Amino acid sequence: MLDFTLTPEQAELRAQAHDFAVNVMRPVARHYDNTGEWATPVYNKAWDLGFLQALVPKSCGGPGKTQVEEALVCEELAWGCGGLYTSIMANGLGITPILIAGSDDQKKQWLTKLVEAPVFAAFSLSEPNAGSDAGGMTCRAELKGDKYIINGTKCYCTNGGYADFYTLFASTNPDKGARGTSCIVVPRDTPGLKIGKALDKMGQRASNQVELHFENAEVPAANLLGKEGMGFIIAMKTLDQTRAAVAAGGVGVARAAFEIALDYAKTRIQFGQPIFSNQAISFMLADMSKKIEASRLLTWQAAWMTDNNIKNSKQSAIAKTFATDTAMEVSTDAVQILGGNGYSRDFLVEKCMRDAKLLQIYEGTNQIQRLVIAKEIQQGN
Ligand SMILES: Cc1cc2nc3c(=O)[nH]c(=O)nc-3n(C[C@H](O)[C@H](O)[C@H](O)COP(=O)(O)OP(=O)(O)OC[C@H]3O[C@@H](n4cnc5c(N)ncnc54)[C@H](O)[C@@H]3O)c2cc1C
């Protein structure tokens, strides 16, 4: 039995997120895109509404939203601003390793922080020489007594400059490659942890990414999530779950660009008629609409599978690839439909195009998603 009807609570949540996007995000989106400043007032309001800590379970005092609900919220937030959306969405990414592998005590220790204040978490897997090939990481965590001693460099850590703690992936047994990696929660104030400067980016400029430098940084051994050697599995399970929220971001960015292009096409007069009257334009818009609707359905499917404990490596990779490629295609076409105005910063579509590009790169590039899909179909999944 299929039913795409939202419950009254879900419809209310989506309306609340849309209202936040319209009234809080959109008015300041251009400012934070221009300056790259950290948008504390926006994040404080997102916390008031429960979006920043949406995935914190009720057992830890949080809203305990499902992945479908997270996707509903994320679509609206990305519609509001791709950069501000990423900061909020990445808080869910930062805590998901704890949700997956943390003990009850660890969940209480770390996740209640997000309920008590607008606190950020950050997911730290990538390294300068280990991006797509994350299993080739060299950051090392050595157990000495009751502490891990961490050495190495991580990069592109979203929210890293402002996070209270990091879910860090490091090698505890380099001889075992990916199977020798572990996930350890690292508090921000750990001696030996230095936070590098923020990345200057093409798009999503309101979001923050930094390098993390570990020099004999000492962390209690009790901060290990799960067992030693489980790190790579925790990372892959995390990304299977969170890619629906990235796909939802793709839907939101695409929808923002599409709405502006549709409105423009209906009102821009050339050769004595709205440009929408040209089939070349109306068919572009029809294709944009078609891809956005399909993206949303794939996103909801991937999120629903997580909520129902169904393995979704293939579906989350398909949703992420389809929806974020859609965001790139739709925003590029929207720029084209607006002509010279599309290229101008007076209209939002150029920002959508810059913001969309990152969605195809982070949480595993869309080439890597195709590798995942290919492996899954080869295995008959
Ligand atoms: C703004 C931003 C935010 C990010 N946030 C985070 C974060 O919060 N936490 C985190 O850990 N990481 C984060 N990342 C890192 C991101 O996940 C990586 O950039 C991404 O996985 C790609 O790694 P790479 O940049 O090293 O590219 P590379 O792995 O060097 O890839 C370069 C190119 O080669 C392609 N390629 C590589 N291998 C293959 C292959 N086998 N087959 C086909 N093509 C291949 C890639 O698709 C890509 O096009 C972020 C990155 C950015 C830019």
Side-chain angles (χ1 to χ4, degrees):
M1 190 71 164
L2 282 179
D3 185 357
F4 296 106
T5 317
L6 302 182
T7 64
E9 294 76 25
Q10 289 170 338
E12 168 63 23
L13 180 70
R14 179 155 76 167
Q16 205 181 27
H18 186 67
D19 188 59
F20 174 75
V22 170
N23 295 308
V24 180
M25 298 176 94
R26 278 278 175 99
V28 297
R30 189 57 86 177
H31 169 78
Y32 288 110
D33 181 57
N34 285 338
T35 62
E37 286 167 11
W38 186 245
T40 303
V42 177
Y43 305 137
N44 285 348
K45 185 82 183 136
W47 181 75
D48 286 343
L49 293 167
F51 302 148
L52 202 59
Q53 68 278 33
L55 296 177
V56 176
K58 289 193 170 128
S59 57
C60 297
K65 296 298 178 206
T66 64
Q67 289 291 340
V68 166
E69 288 158 352
E70 172 79 344
L72 294 174
V73 169
C74 281
E75 178 181 334
E76 299 310 318
L77 301 187
W79 178 92
C81 171
L84 298 170
Y85 142 81
T86 281
S87 305
I88 298 168
M89 176 278 293
N91 229 18
L93 172 67
I95 64 167
T96 299
I98 301 172
L99 292 171
I100 289 174
S103 65
D104 287 349
D105 284 349
Q106 286 173 323
K107 285 179 187 161
K108 288 233 160 62
Q109 182 183 358
W110 300 107
L111 303 183
T112 45
K113 282 171 174 275
L114 277 75
V115 179
E116 287 161 1
V119 157
F120 280 85
F123 174 89
S124 185
L125 177 67
S126 302
E127 295 185 3
N129 292 317
S132 300
D133 183 14
M137 70 180 68
T138 55
C139 184
R140 180 89 167 89
E142 234 176 317
L143 187 62
K144 288 205 173 142
D146 60 355
K147 292 204 171 10
Y148 280 106
I149 312 297
I150 305 172
N151 282 287
T153 297
K154 292 286 176 180
C155 64
Y156 296 132
C157 182
T158 296
N159 292 343
Y162 299 89
D164 190 71
F165 61 89
Y166 307 85
T167 40
L168 173 80
F169 295 85
S171 177
T172 42
N173 188 344
D175 295 340
K176 288 194 172 171
R179 284 166 197 267
T181 61
S182 301
C183 185
I184 301 166
V185 185
V186 177
R188 179 193 182 82
D189 57 7
T190 298
L193 165 58
K194 287 196 196 108
I195 298 166
K197 75 176 176 63
L199 183 72
D200 192 10
K201 303 182 293 293
M202 170 202 284
Q204 300 210 12
R205 292 172 48 76
S207 69
N208 167 269
Q209 286 79 22
V210 291
E211 282 195 345
L212 302 177
H213 303 280
F214 295 92
E215 284 172 26
N216 292 321
E218 287 190 12
V219 175
N223 289 13
L224 176 74
L225 296 178
K227 294 198 171 106
E228 277 197 10
M230 277 177 63
F232 200 70
I233 294 168
I234 296 171
M236 294 306 112
K237 279 192 177 170
T238 295
L239 295 169
D240 280 352
Q241 293 197 14
T242 57
R243 276 183 187 128
V246 178
V251 181
V253 170
R255 209 182 91 215
F258 167 75
E259 286 172 8
I260 296 165
L262 177 62
D263 185 52
Y264 194 87
K266 287 201 234 167
T267 52
R268 172 71 174 168
I269 308 293
Q270 288 293 279
F271 301 100
Q273 59 180 4
I275 58 169
F276 190 91
S277 309
N278 302 294
Q279 204 176 67
I281 299 291
S282 64
F283 275 22
M284 269 169 102
L285 286 155
D287 279 341
M288 290 155 90
S289 175
K290 186 182 80 181
K291 287 186 236 175
I292 291 169
E293 296 286 334
S295 296
R296 185 180 295 112
L297 292 180
L298 288 168
T299 301
W300 286 9
Q301 174 184 245
W304 176 87
M305 290 176 81
T306 296
D307 290 339
N308 287 280
N309 294 316
I310 303 169
K311 187 176 179 316
N312 67 348
S313 306
K314 181 173 92 168
Q315 287 79 6
S316 67
I318 289 176
K320 196 268 184 184
T321 313
F322 195 91
T324 62
D325 284 350
T326 290
M328 196 67 240
E329 289 159 16
V330 166
S331 57
T332 305
D333 284 349
V335 168
Q336 191 68 21
I337 288 172
L338 268 72
N341 277 333
Y343 205 67
S344 149
R345 284 184 187 250
D346 291 343
F347 289 78
L348 212 57
V349 287
E350 64 81 27
K351 178 175 177 301
C352 292
M353 189 173 164
R354 288 184 287 109
D355 289 351
K357 190 67 222 170
L358 179 56
L359 300 173
Q360 294 180 303
I361 296 172
Y362 67 23
E363 294 212 23
T365 68
N366 284 5
Q367 286 75 34
I368 296 305
Q369 302 312 301
R370 286 174 170 87
L371 280 184
V372 171
I373 299 163
K375 190 174 145 213
E376 290 287 324
I377 58 175
Q378 191 182 30
Q379 291 171 352
N381 295 328

